[in-house]
C-alpha cells in the first residue's frame, strides 16, 4: 500500500542529557517526536491514523532498536494489534495533563529540558487541531518483551492547517 505521509524529521529528548537536582530523577526517561507531512487535501482522522500506523516510522519498539521498516513491534505492542480504533480523541488540556503528570512525577524539570519539551511537545499540542491518545490497548497486546517500559504514553498531534502530524511518545524504561 502506498503511503502518502512524508517523514520530515525526528527529535529525541533523552532526560539523561540534563542535570537534575537529584541525579536519580531522570529514571531513563525520554520523549521521541516523529514529524510527518500529509497532503493538503482534506483527509479524515481515521485515514490519517491508518496511514501513520502503516508508515515505516511507526515500526519502532522504542527500546534501542530504532525504526525497523519490516518490524513487527510498535513500542510495547505487537504492530498488528495497533489500529485507528485504539486511539481516543482527547482535548488539548487532557493531552497536556497526561504529559505533565508523567513529566513531573519525580519533581522539578531542568529549565533547558523544559524549553526543549516546550518546542517539541507543548507548542505542537497548542497548535493542534486534533489530538489522539493511544489508549485502547492493554497488556494483552504486549509483544514478547513488551513490558520493558515503565510508562508508555503516545499522542498523535494533528495540525491540518499546516499539513503536519506528529507522533509523540513519552516513556521510561
Amino acid at each position: 500500500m502506498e503511503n502518502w505521509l512524508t517523514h520530515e524529521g525526528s527529535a529525541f529528548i533523552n532526560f539523561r542529557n540534563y542535570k537534575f537536582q537529584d541525579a536519580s530523577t531522570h529514571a531513563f526517561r525520554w520523549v521521541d517526536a516523529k514529524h510527518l507531512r500529509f497532503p493538503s487535501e482534506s483527509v479524515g482522522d481515521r485515514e490519517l491514523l491508518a496511514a501513520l500506523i502503516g508508515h515505516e516510522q511507526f515500526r519502532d519498539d522504542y527500546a534501542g532498536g530504532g525504526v525497523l521498516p519490516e518490524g513487527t513491534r510498535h513500542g510495547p505492542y505487537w504492530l498488528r494489534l495497533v489500529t485507528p480504533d485504539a486511539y481516543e480523541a482527547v482535548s488539548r488540556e487532557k493531552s497536556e495533563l497526561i504529559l505533565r503528570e508523567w513529566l513531573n512525577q519525580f519533581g522539578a524539570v531542568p529549565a533547558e529540558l523544559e524549553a526543549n519539551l516546550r518546542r517539541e511537545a507543548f507548542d505542537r499540542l497548542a497548535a493542534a487541531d486534533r489530538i489522539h491518545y493511544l489508549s485502547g490497548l492493554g497488556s494483552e497486546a504486549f509483544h514478547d518483551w513488551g513490558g520493558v517500559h515503565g510508562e508508555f504514553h503516545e499522542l498523535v498531534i494533528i495540525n491540518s492547517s499546516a499539513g503536519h502530524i506528529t507522533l509523540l511518545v513519552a516513556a521510561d524504561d
Side-chain angles (χ1 to χ4, degrees):
M1 172 175 97
E2 181 181 335
N3 198 304
W4 36 264
L5 290 176
T6 304
H7 181 243
E8 292 192 318
S10 299
F12 184 76
I13 302 171
N14 190 335
F15 286 32
R16 251 185 294 199
N17 297 335
Y18 299 91
K19 239 185 162 113
F20 284 81
Q21 198 167 16
D22 175 355
S24 66
T25 59
H26 67 78
F28 301 102
R29 298 178 335 144
W30 46 265
V31 170
D32 185 277
K34 292 177 175 40
H35 309 296
L36 300 103
R37 176 171 291 286
F38 59 89
S40 59
E41 59 266 9
S42 180
V43 63
D45 286 8
R46 188 169 179 79
E47 291 172 289
L48 275 172
L49 289 168
L52 179 63
I53 293 166
H55 198 279
E56 75 175 21
Q57 289 295 314
F58 199 78
R59 290 167 173 76
D60 192 332
D61 59 26
Y62 298 101
V67 172
L68 301 171
E70 302 301 319
T72 59
R73 295 173 179 87
H74 173 73
Y77 306 113
W78 288 113
L79 179 63
R80 71 180 185 278
L81 299 176
V82 182
T83 68
D85 292 333
Y87 290 85
E88 164 192 1
V90 294
S91 68
R92 193 174 289 118
E93 294 78 19
K94 179 163 182 177
S95 62
E96 288 179 6
L97 180 64
I98 290 167
L99 284 179
R100 282 284 170 210
E101 285 180 348
W102 172 78
L103 182 62
N104 295 325
Q105 65 183 311
F106 298 114
V109 174
E112 185 182 0
L113 174 57
E114 180 68 37
N116 287 334
L117 291 168
R118 167 104 2 243
R119 184 185 68 253
E120 292 300 331
F122 294 104
D123 287 350
R124 292 177 191 278
L125 289 170
D129 299 312
R130 294 169 315 283
I131 304 163
H132 296 273
Y133 182 61
L134 182 61
S135 62
L137 297 173
S139 60
E140 62 275 358
F142 280 177
H143 56 67
D144 46 349
W145 46 268
V148 69
H149 299 101
E151 288 192 43
F152 184 88
H153 299 285
E154 178 175 315
L155 294 162
V156 176
I157 305 166
I158 301 169
N159 184 330
S160 294
S161 59
H164 284 132
I165 186 169
T166 297
L167 173 62
L168 186 76
V169 172
D172 49 66
D173 48 37

